[in-house]
Amino acid sequence: MNQSEQATTKFQTAFMIAGKLTAMLATFGIPLILIRLLSQSEYGIFAQFYVVVFLCTGFFNLSVQSNIYFFYPTSNNKDRKSLVLHTLLFLIIMAGIAVILLSIPPIGNLIIGDGELLEYKHFIIIGILLYMPIYMLEPLYVVKKDILTSLVYPPLEVIFRLSLVIGLVLLIPGLNSIFTGIIISAAACLIFVLFYVGREIGFKNFSLKLFEKKLARKQLSYSLPFGAAVSLNIFFQQFDKIICITFLSSSEFAIYAIAFYGVPGVQQVFDSLTQVYLVQMTVKYQANKINELASLYKVLVSKTFSFSLPIMLIVMLYAKKIIIFLFTENYIEAVPFFRAYIASIMIFMLAPGIILRAADKTKYTLRSYIYSSFVVIPLTYLLIKHMGMWGAMISALVSISLPRFINLAQEIKLIKSNFFHFFPWKEFAQVTIISVGTIIPFVAIEYYFDYGVILTAIAGSVYLLLVALLEINYNLFPVDVDILRSFYESKIKSFRQLLYKVGL
């Protein structure tokens, strides 16, 4: 990778992280407000709605949009137009299939259940139709290196949805207003996506003449094995919640759902890093530069580990205070489930499956989920039926970890490495020493003293700042400090020039 490409990648990563973090803050505001406007039972139904809509869209899209990462960077201009059109058509077709299946009572009732959520089935169906095509936007602006959209779209989309939902529910209280706001915001996002896609293809060229069967087959042959694996992954992640809709009351579901909000920001930063590095790793694999691909993986997981571990530690330490402050004391029962789920961060940060995607070996990812399903599905049903929420959490952690460990084993084999050379152990050790060593006095303070939320926030910020400074000193910080400094200096320079022009 030349210096120009490196600079572009660094800028794009930084801007994607900034955009997703802003979007995350707005997204997190929705439940914080709704929890205070709805009863625990109503909030449980709202949480069930989100589970069903995003299970169906995530499961049935079969990740066909992922083909853009693989084919777009090395395709010519004409093929790129066809790639984008094919992807849009695939997603529209899959949305239709999902809605048809959900409309069949025996299938729909298995997912939606026969409780209060059934009253809002029409909102679920409309939501699936609107959200499915939107999935193609992010891969498209990543491969196009569209930094502006990377920064602006994620937060604007969430802020618009937040404004609609909160505005409507304050005007006309009730779940109908909330779901109406979600649908309107999804429709607006779909319009933007269609415009973005139309501009990429060329509005004059927007016709089925661009459809190429041979290329479409290649896209599907790449996407479907990986997509089926992703769909199974989503199914595994949500299967516990689907079973919970049947066995838990809406109030219990509300408590259980709180645990899965996790740590705001971590997943957004992780996604931004992996999406950018996936494109680079794909290019390296296609050029048969396996050693460079392996090096890129080590850089990626070094970065993800450097921010995942300290955040996990400090959030687990202050978990009780966080839950009470954000979700009120009514949800204090969620604290142990919240702590248990936080531990799964360390599995995600290993980026299992990314090398298989870059190497077009997604069939192995599919196999890992198929093999895991023989354990996960019966285990989840039995644990939830007999152990309730704790059974659900245990099964959720099993479904998260088992297929990912299988993927990692296959990736180690693919690049002809081994467990001791595959991971950047030196960086892992350095980050662990910094993170654990720095948190010890904060644990002692929390144990011996009683203090409020403001001091807790200050203490947590001080801890993260200390870790960040130490990581910068040892070149372990996930974002290139020189890029941040360059961006800051350029903005200061632009501001000074503006002041000079206006005579100040």
Side-chain angles (χ1 to χ4, degrees):
M1 193 189 309
N2 58 43
Q3 291 184 346
S4 176
E5 289 176 331
Q6 289 178 338
T8 301
T9 298
K10 290 176 180 179
F11 270 112
Q12 187 179 16
T13 302
F15 274 83
M16 284 189 68
I17 290 173
K20 289 202 169 190
L21 285 176
T22 308
M24 172 273 301
L25 292 174
T27 300
F28 203 65
I30 296 177
L32 299 187
I33 296 172
L34 292 183
I35 273 174
R36 289 160 173 82
L37 296 175
L38 302 174
S39 68
Q40 199 170 74
S41 178
E42 287 176 322
Y43 184 77
I45 296 171
F46 167 77
Q48 291 172 349
F49 170 85
Y50 254 88
V51 166
V52 173
V53 169
F54 289 103
L55 167 65
C56 291
T57 54
F59 180 83
F60 285 102
N61 73 37
L62 292 173
S63 200
V64 293
Q65 70 276 5
S66 67
N67 79 84
I68 294 174
Y69 290 118
F70 186 79
F71 291 104
Y72 191 98
T74 55
S75 296
N76 59 43
N77 189 53
K78 182 178 180 298
D79 284 345
R80 285 178 174 180
K81 296 180 187 298
S82 297
L83 287 167
V84 173
L85 178 63
H86 295 165
T87 304
L88 178 62
L89 292 175
F90 293 153
L91 289 171
I92 292 172
I93 291 169
M94 296 313 297
I97 293 172
V99 167
I100 290 170
L101 291 175
L102 201 64
S103 299
I104 300 172
I107 298 176
N109 290 345
L110 282 175
I111 298 174
I112 300 175
D114 55 3
E116 296 171 278
L117 183 62
L118 197 59
E119 298 177 21
Y120 305 96
K121 185 175 180 178
H122 57 290
F123 284 114
I124 293 173
I125 289 173
I126 296 171
I128 292 169
L129 289 172
L130 294 175
Y131 273 111
M132 190 79 82
I134 296 174
Y135 275 86
M136 72 174 297
L137 179 62
E138 188 170 294
L140 188 55
Y141 67 62
V142 169
V143 295
K144 284 171 58 64
K145 302 187 186 301
D146 185 349
I147 294 176
L148 179 61
T149 305
S150 302
L151 178 66
V152 173
Y153 175 81
L156 283 185
E157 182 271 323
V158 179
I159 291 170
F160 181 59
R161 176 165 25 110
L162 175 64
S163 301
L164 274 173
V165 169
I166 302 304
L168 287 174
V169 78
L170 288 175
L171 186 65
I172 308 173
L175 289 171
N176 279 305
S177 295
I178 293 172
F179 297 147
T180 299
I182 292 171
I183 294 302
I184 294 173
S185 67
C189 291
L190 178 58
I191 291 170
F192 175 79
V193 170
L194 293 176
F195 176 81
Y196 195 87
V197 169
R199 191 178 63 175
E200 171 67 16
I201 295 174
F203 292 102
K204 294 180 180 179
N205 302 322
F206 206 104
S207 71
L208 291 178
K209 291 181 180 179
L210 283 173
F211 190 85
E212 296 182 11
K213 290 183 179 179
K214 186 176 180 181
L215 181 58
R217 289 194 196 99
K218 286 183 179 180
Q219 288 176 265
L220 290 176
S221 65
Y222 171 82
S223 300
L224 292 183
F226 170 73
V230 171
S231 294
L232 284 174
N233 174 36
I234 292 171
F235 177 75
F236 284 176
Q237 289 184 353
Q238 302 297 334
F239 184 63
D240 59 305
K241 300 173 188 66
I242 293 297
I243 300 300
C244 284
I245 291 175
T246 299
F247 287 106
L248 300 182
S249 68
S250 55
S251 296
E252 289 175 322
F253 192 94
I255 292 171
Y256 182 66
I258 292 299
F260 291 89
Y261 281 101
V263 182
V266 172
Q267 192 63 44
Q268 287 75 14
V269 174
F270 173 75
D271 287 344
S272 299
L273 287 169
T274 54
Q275 287 160 3
V276 172
Y277 274 85
L278 174 60
V279 175
Q280 302 301 326
M281 292 168 73
T282 299
V283 172
K284 296 301 180 185
Y285 183 81
Q286 292 177 350
N288 200 32
K289 298 179 179 179
I290 304 300
N291 289 336
E292 292 185 34
L293 184 154
S295 297
L296 280 172
Y297 173 79
K298 287 184 178 181
V299 172
L300 170 62
V301 295
S302 295
K303 291 178 181 294
T304 56
F305 191 81
S306 67
F307 71 82
S308 297
L309 182 62
I311 290 176
M312 183 198 74
L313 292 175
I314 199 66
V315 171
M316 290 185 76
L317 177 62
Y318 298 135
K320 184 177 179 180
K321 290 180 177 179
I322 291 171
I323 292 295
I324 292 174
F325 175 70
L326 295 178
F327 303 106
T328 75
E329 289 195 8
N330 293 332
Y331 292 87
I332 196 170
E333 293 178 62
V335 172
F337 304 105
F338 179 68
R339 282 191 172 123
Y341 180 68
I342 292 303
S344 68
I345 288 175
M346 306 317 295
I347 299 171
F348 286 105
M349 75 89 199
L350 293 173
I354 192 172
I355 292 178
L356 296 177
R357 290 175 65 185
D360 193 16
K361 302 293 184 182
T362 51
K363 62 182 179 180
Y364 294 112
T365 307
L366 174 59
R367 289 177 186 174
S368 71
Y369 286 103
I370 292 174
Y371 298 152
S372 299
S373 67
F374 294 111
V375 175
V376 170
I377 293 175
L379 181 68
T380 299
Y381 182 86
L382 292 172
L383 286 176
I384 295 174
K385 183 178 180 180
H386 296 290
M387 296 177 61
M389 286 190 285
W390 268 116
M393 180 54 69
I394 293 170
S395 62
L397 294 177
V398 172
S399 66
I400 288 170
S401 56
L402 183 57
R404 286 174 171 79
F405 288 148
I406 296 174
N407 281 340
L408 285 170
Q410 187 60 50
E411 288 173 322
I412 291 172
K413 182 179 178 181
L414 177 66
I415 65 171
K416 298 178 181 179
S417 184
N418 57 58
F419 181 76
F420 298 102
H421 292 95
F422 185 70
F423 298 108
W425 293 108
K426 178 182 177 181
E427 288 77 6
F428 284 179
Q430 289 176 316
V431 172
T432 301
I433 292 170
I434 290 171
S435 301
V436 175
T438 306
I439 205 171
I440 291 174
F442 293 89
V443 174
I445 292 171
E446 179 69 10
Y447 183 79
Y448 287 108
F449 298 95
D450 184 21
Y451 49 99
V453 173
I454 295 176
L455 289 178
T456 301
I458 293 172
S461 299
V462 169
Y463 167 75
L464 293 176
L465 178 62
L466 290 173
V467 171
L469 291 173
L470 288 169
E471 287 184 348
I472 289 171
N473 185 59
Y474 290 98
N475 198 28
L476 297 166
F477 197 63
V479 178
D480 193 313
V481 179
D482 291 334
I483 292 294
L484 294 178
R485 186 183 296 113
S486 175
F487 177 72
Y488 172 76
E489 290 174 352
S490 68
K491 291 302 177 185
I492 292 295
K493 183 178 179 181
S494 298
F495 182 67
R496 287 174 177 171
Q497 289 175 345
L498 178 63
L499 292 178
Y500 177 77
K501 287 180 181 179
V502 298
L504 295 177

